[in-house]
Amino acid sequence: MSTTTLTMSEAINRALREALDRPEPMMIVGQDIGPYGGAFGVTRGLSEAYGEETIRDAPLCESGTVGYAIGLAITGVRAVCEIEFFDFVGVAMDQIFNQAAKLHYFTGGKLTVPLVIRTPIVSRMGMGPQHSQSLESWFMHVPGIKIAVPSNAADAYGLLRTALLDNNPVLFVENVRLYGRRGEVETAGPAIPFGKARIAREGTDATVVALSGMVDEALTAAERLAERGISVEVIDPRTLAPLDMETIVGSLRKTMRLAVAHDAHRTLGFGAEIAARCMEEAFDYLDAPVERVACKDVPIPCTPGGIEAVYPSADDVVAAVERLVA
């Protein structure tokens, strides 16, 4: 076993390097990912190591960039496409959900699409309503694309390794607030399989399913609640498609109370799907209505006070669990 301490950004960079070192052809395309090293520095050093033909800067046109990456993928070149802000996936939606997600089906399995679309959530950083959105639930509605959302360096490394071996399109959602977070990363072990949630903390009184940056908020809340004698189990789903409902329902059967927490807007966020599935699959175990802890349904403000007012926090998770156990 070999472990090292890496930031989440370094873990992603390392997984990309390992894939680039494999004999199969691969290219990374995106805006400013070449010598500049990416908008948030994640691809730093790759252009110098692998050349600008492999690490290729793309024009300011997400639809063209994703379309080009799809073309690479279906002609035998594993492709990684970086979209600088999650908000800009909308510019390339036709390429993603009408082409990448469906080409394998269209062709009766003759074509595969080994494509990873990397894009960051830039929440709580004052970048306003067009650069701060968490849109992962859009893609849960699209069969044919997998969705990975790591919350720490180890999971970012392990899940990206899996994505870079998959012949299906993968949306790999990162979080800028977590890029600098350090953690122990197992670099010699197996990749982390999709569809296997992580129990970040065990508990008996309530379950909190948290995503991305809200995992840390949920863990902070669990620590505070433990001081009051309330035991909280925190589950990080890791991937939303496939979604590990078995682990979530298993926890609910133990705790009989459930809250979901995410940075996305409350209405039709991924937590709504989990709440509905738990009602279908474990209704008899619910001792209270499912609580949703989420961003308010308003455009994201730029000011610190506005950001604090609309985004959920550990305080909101504490309040939700207290309502569940009251």
mmCIF file with all atom_site columns, all heavy atoms in Angstrom, residues 144-158:
data_model
loop_
_atom_site.group_PDB
_atom_site.id
_atom_site.type_symbol
_atom_site.label_atom_id
_atom_site.label_alt_id
_atom_site.label_comp_id
_atom_site.label_asym_id
_atom_site.label_entity_id
_atom_site.label_seq_id
_atom_site.pdbx_PDB_ins_code
_atom_site.Cartn_x
_atom_site.Cartn_y
_atom_site.Cartn_z
_atom_site.occupancy
_atom_site.B_iso_or_equiv
_atom_site.pdbx_formal_charge
_atom_site.auth_seq_id
_atom_site.auth_comp_id
_atom_site.auth_asym_id
_atom_site.auth_atom_id
_atom_site.pdbx_PDB_model_num
ATOM 1   N N   . GLY A 1 144 ? -27.455 7.556  -20.105 1.00 0.00 ? 144 GLY A N   1
ATOM 2   C CA  . GLY A 1 144 ? -26.319 7.449  -21.009 1.00 0.00 ? 144 GLY A CA  1
ATOM 3   C C   . GLY A 1 144 ? -25.094 8.212  -20.576 1.00 0.00 ? 144 GLY A C   1
ATOM 4   O O   . GLY A 1 144 ? -24.037 8.091  -21.204 1.00 0.00 ? 144 GLY A O   1
ATOM 5   N N   . ILE A 1 145 ? -25.206 9.012  -19.513 1.00 0.00 ? 145 ILE A N   1
ATOM 6   C CA  . ILE A 1 145 ? -24.039 9.739  -19.015 1.00 0.00 ? 145 ILE A CA  1
ATOM 7   C C   . ILE A 1 145 ? -23.894 9.463  -17.533 1.00 0.00 ? 145 ILE A C   1
ATOM 8   O O   . ILE A 1 145 ? -24.876 9.447  -16.781 1.00 0.00 ? 145 ILE A O   1
ATOM 9   C CB  . ILE A 1 145 ? -24.146 11.255 -19.300 1.00 0.00 ? 145 ILE A CB  1
ATOM 10  C CG1 . ILE A 1 145 ? -22.830 11.960 -18.934 1.00 0.00 ? 145 ILE A CG1 1
ATOM 11  C CG2 . ILE A 1 145 ? -25.327 11.899 -18.583 1.00 0.00 ? 145 ILE A CG2 1
ATOM 12  C CD1 . ILE A 1 145 ? -22.727 13.355 -19.511 1.00 0.00 ? 145 ILE A CD1 1
ATOM 13  N N   . LYS A 1 146 ? -22.674 9.206  -17.109 1.00 0.00 ? 146 LYS A N   1
ATOM 14  C CA  . LYS A 1 146 ? -22.391 8.962  -15.704 1.00 0.00 ? 146 LYS A CA  1
ATOM 15  C C   . LYS A 1 146 ? -21.971 10.270 -15.036 1.00 0.00 ? 146 LYS A C   1
ATOM 16  O O   . LYS A 1 146 ? -21.445 11.170 -15.697 1.00 0.00 ? 146 LYS A O   1
ATOM 17  C CB  . LYS A 1 146 ? -21.298 7.893  -15.557 1.00 0.00 ? 146 LYS A CB  1
ATOM 18  C CG  . LYS A 1 146 ? -21.706 6.556  -16.167 1.00 0.00 ? 146 LYS A CG  1
ATOM 19  C CD  . LYS A 1 146 ? -20.632 5.495  -16.007 1.00 0.00 ? 146 LYS A CD  1
ATOM 20  C CE  . LYS A 1 146 ? -21.084 4.166  -16.621 1.00 0.00 ? 146 LYS A CE  1
ATOM 21  N NZ  . LYS A 1 146 ? -20.059 3.104  -16.460 1.00 0.00 ? 146 LYS A NZ  1
ATOM 22  N N   . ILE A 1 147 ? -22.190 10.365 -13.714 1.00 0.00 ? 147 ILE A N   1
ATOM 23  C CA  . ILE A 1 147 ? -21.918 11.608 -12.994 1.00 0.00 ? 147 ILE A CA  1
ATOM 24  C C   . ILE A 1 147 ? -21.140 11.287 -11.729 1.00 0.00 ? 147 ILE A C   1
ATOM 25  O O   . ILE A 1 147 ? -21.618 10.547 -10.864 1.00 0.00 ? 147 ILE A O   1
ATOM 26  C CB  . ILE A 1 147 ? -23.220 12.333 -12.605 1.00 0.00 ? 147 ILE A CB  1
ATOM 27  C CG1 . ILE A 1 147 ? -24.144 12.487 -13.806 1.00 0.00 ? 147 ILE A CG1 1
ATOM 28  C CG2 . ILE A 1 147 ? -22.907 13.702 -11.993 1.00 0.00 ? 147 ILE A CG2 1
ATOM 29  C CD1 . ILE A 1 147 ? -25.567 12.869 -13.422 1.00 0.00 ? 147 ILE A CD1 1
ATOM 30  N N   . ALA A 1 148 ? -19.949 11.847 -11.624 1.00 0.00 ? 148 ALA A N   1
ATOM 31  C CA  . ALA A 1 148 ? -19.123 11.687 -10.424 1.00 0.00 ? 148 ALA A CA  1
ATOM 32  C C   . ALA A 1 148 ? -18.924 13.050 -9.775  1.00 0.00 ? 148 ALA A C   1
ATOM 33  O O   . ALA A 1 148 ? -18.657 14.037 -10.454 1.00 0.00 ? 148 ALA A O   1
ATOM 34  C CB  . ALA A 1 148 ? -17.776 11.068 -10.780 1.00 0.00 ? 148 ALA A CB  1
ATOM 35  N N   . VAL A 1 149 ? -19.067 13.083 -8.424  1.00 0.00 ? 149 VAL A N   1
ATOM 36  C CA  . VAL A 1 149 ? -18.943 14.347 -7.696  1.00 0.00 ? 149 VAL A CA  1
ATOM 37  C C   . VAL A 1 149 ? -18.100 14.098 -6.441  1.00 0.00 ? 149 VAL A C   1
ATOM 38  O O   . VAL A 1 149 ? -18.639 13.878 -5.355  1.00 0.00 ? 149 VAL A O   1
ATOM 39  C CB  . VAL A 1 149 ? -20.325 14.924 -7.313  1.00 0.00 ? 149 VAL A CB  1
ATOM 40  C CG1 . VAL A 1 149 ? -20.180 16.361 -6.814  1.00 0.00 ? 149 VAL A CG1 1
ATOM 41  C CG2 . VAL A 1 149 ? -21.292 14.873 -8.490  1.00 0.00 ? 149 VAL A CG2 1
ATOM 42  N N   . PRO A 1 150 ? -16.777 14.142 -6.544  1.00 0.00 ? 150 PRO A N   1
ATOM 43  C CA  . PRO A 1 150 ? -15.930 13.868 -5.378  1.00 0.00 ? 150 PRO A CA  1
ATOM 44  C C   . PRO A 1 150 ? -15.942 15.020 -4.373  1.00 0.00 ? 150 PRO A C   1
ATOM 45  O O   . PRO A 1 150 ? -16.126 16.178 -4.741  1.00 0.00 ? 150 PRO A O   1
ATOM 46  C CB  . PRO A 1 150 ? -14.543 13.693 -5.989  1.00 0.00 ? 150 PRO A CB  1
ATOM 47  C CG  . PRO A 1 150 ? -14.572 14.534 -7.234  1.00 0.00 ? 150 PRO A CG  1
ATOM 48  C CD  . PRO A 1 150 ? -15.981 14.409 -7.758  1.00 0.00 ? 150 PRO A CD  1
ATOM 49  N N   . SER A 1 151 ? -15.717 14.664 -3.101  1.00 0.00 ? 151 SER A N   1
ATOM 50  C CA  . SER A 1 151 ? -15.702 15.673 -2.044  1.00 0.00 ? 151 SER A CA  1
ATOM 51  C C   . SER A 1 151 ? -14.351 15.786 -1.353  1.00 0.00 ? 151 SER A C   1
ATOM 52  O O   . SER A 1 151 ? -14.208 16.550 -0.401  1.00 0.00 ? 151 SER A O   1
ATOM 53  C CB  . SER A 1 151 ? -16.769 15.343 -0.991  1.00 0.00 ? 151 SER A CB  1
ATOM 54  O OG  . SER A 1 151 ? -16.427 14.149 -0.300  1.00 0.00 ? 151 SER A OG  1
ATOM 55  N N   . ASN A 1 152 ? -13.354 15.026 -1.812  1.00 0.00 ? 152 ASN A N   1
ATOM 56  C CA  . ASN A 1 152 ? -12.041 15.049 -1.168  1.00 0.00 ? 152 ASN A CA  1
ATOM 57  C C   . ASN A 1 152 ? -10.994 14.545 -2.151  1.00 0.00 ? 152 ASN A C   1
ATOM 58  O O   . ASN A 1 152 ? -11.325 14.021 -3.222  1.00 0.00 ? 152 ASN A O   1
ATOM 59  C CB  . ASN A 1 152 ? -12.053 14.191 0.101   1.00 0.00 ? 152 ASN A CB  1
ATOM 60  C CG  . ASN A 1 152 ? -12.476 12.764 -0.172  1.00 0.00 ? 152 ASN A CG  1
ATOM 61  O OD1 . ASN A 1 152 ? -11.714 11.975 -0.721  1.00 0.00 ? 152 ASN A OD1 1
ATOM 62  N ND2 . ASN A 1 152 ? -13.718 12.419 0.171   1.00 0.00 ? 152 ASN A ND2 1
ATOM 63  N N   . ALA A 1 153 ? -9.735  14.688 -1.785  1.00 0.00 ? 153 ALA A N   1
ATOM 64  C CA  . ALA A 1 153 ? -8.640  14.347 -2.695  1.00 0.00 ? 153 ALA A CA  1
ATOM 65  C C   . ALA A 1 153 ? -8.621  12.866 -3.042  1.00 0.00 ? 153 ALA A C   1
ATOM 66  O O   . ALA A 1 153 ? -8.422  12.486 -4.201  1.00 0.00 ? 153 ALA A O   1
ATOM 67  C CB  . ALA A 1 153 ? -7.306  14.762 -2.074  1.00 0.00 ? 153 ALA A CB  1
ATOM 68  N N   . ALA A 1 154 ? -8.810  12.001 -2.053  1.00 0.00 ? 154 ALA A N   1
ATOM 69  C CA  . ALA A 1 154 ? -8.749  10.562 -2.308  1.00 0.00 ? 154 ALA A CA  1
ATOM 70  C C   . ALA A 1 154 ? -9.832  10.130 -3.280  1.00 0.00 ? 154 ALA A C   1
ATOM 71  O O   . ALA A 1 154 ? -9.590  9.347  -4.211  1.00 0.00 ? 154 ALA A O   1
ATOM 72  C CB  . ALA A 1 154 ? -8.874  9.791  -0.990  1.00 0.00 ? 154 ALA A CB  1
ATOM 73  N N   . ASP A 1 155 ? -11.050 10.646 -3.091  1.00 0.00 ? 155 ASP A N   1
ATOM 74  C CA  . ASP A 1 155 ? -12.141 10.276 -3.985  1.00 0.00 ? 155 ASP A CA  1
ATOM 75  C C   . ASP A 1 155 ? -11.958 10.889 -5.369  1.00 0.00 ? 155 ASP A C   1
ATOM 76  O O   . ASP A 1 155 ? -12.306 10.263 -6.384  1.00 0.00 ? 155 ASP A O   1
ATOM 77  C CB  . ASP A 1 155 ? -13.477 10.709 -3.397  1.00 0.00 ? 155 ASP A CB  1
ATOM 78  C CG  . ASP A 1 155 ? -13.942 9.799  -2.274  1.00 0.00 ? 155 ASP A CG  1
ATOM 79  O OD1 . ASP A 1 155 ? -13.239 8.815  -1.976  1.00 0.00 ? 155 ASP A OD1 1
ATOM 80  O OD2 . ASP A 1 155 ? -15.005 10.071 -1.686  1.00 0.00 ? 155 ASP A OD2 1
ATOM 81  N N   . ALA A 1 156 ? -11.431 12.108 -5.426  1.00 0.00 ? 156 ALA A N   1
ATOM 82  C CA  . ALA A 1 156 ? -11.181 12.731 -6.727  1.00 0.00 ? 156 ALA A CA  1
ATOM 83  C C   . ALA A 1 156 ? -10.203 11.889 -7.537  1.00 0.00 ? 156 ALA A C   1
ATOM 84  O O   . ALA A 1 156 ? -10.415 11.646 -8.735  1.00 0.00 ? 156 ALA A O   1
ATOM 85  C CB  . ALA A 1 156 ? -10.642 14.146 -6.541  1.00 0.00 ? 156 ALA A CB  1
ATOM 86  N N   . TYR A 1 157 ? -9.160  11.436 -6.896  1.00 0.00 ? 157 TYR A N   1
ATOM 87  C CA  . TYR A 1 157 ? -8.159  10.599 -7.575  1.00 0.00 ? 157 TYR A CA  1
ATOM 88  C C   . TYR A 1 157 ? -8.761  9.252  -7.980  1.00 0.00 ? 157 TYR A C   1
ATOM 89  O O   . TYR A 1 157 ? -8.667  8.838  -9.141  1.00 0.00 ? 157 TYR A O   1
ATOM 90  C CB  . TYR A 1 157 ? -6.971  10.393 -6.638  1.00 0.00 ? 157 TYR A CB  1
ATOM 91  C CG  . TYR A 1 157 ? -5.918  9.440  -7.162  1.00 0.00 ? 157 TYR A CG  1
ATOM 92  C CD1 . TYR A 1 157 ? -5.047  9.818  -8.186  1.00 0.00 ? 157 TYR A CD1 1
ATOM 93  C CD2 . TYR A 1 157 ? -5.782  8.157  -6.626  1.00 0.00 ? 157 TYR A CD2 1
ATOM 94  C CE1 . TYR A 1 157 ? -4.079  8.938  -8.655  1.00 0.00 ? 157 TYR A CE1 1
ATOM 95  C CE2 . TYR A 1 157 ? -4.827  7.280  -7.089  1.00 0.00 ? 157 TYR A CE2 1
ATOM 96  C CZ  . TYR A 1 157 ? -3.976  7.676  -8.111  1.00 0.00 ? 157 TYR A CZ  1
ATOM 97  O OH  . TYR A 1 157 ? -3.028  6.801  -8.578  1.00 0.00 ? 157 TYR A OH  1
ATOM 98  N N   . GLY A 1 158 ? -9.414  8.587  -7.041  1.00 0.00 ? 158 GLY A N   1
ATOM 99  C CA  . GLY A 1 158 ? -9.933  7.252  -7.326  1.00 0.00 ? 158 GLY A CA  1
ATOM 100 C C   . GLY A 1 158 ? -11.060 7.247  -8.331  1.00 0.00 ? 158 GLY A C   1
ATOM 101 O O   . GLY A 1 158 ? -11.130 6.365  -9.207  1.00 0.00 ? 158 GLY A O   1
#
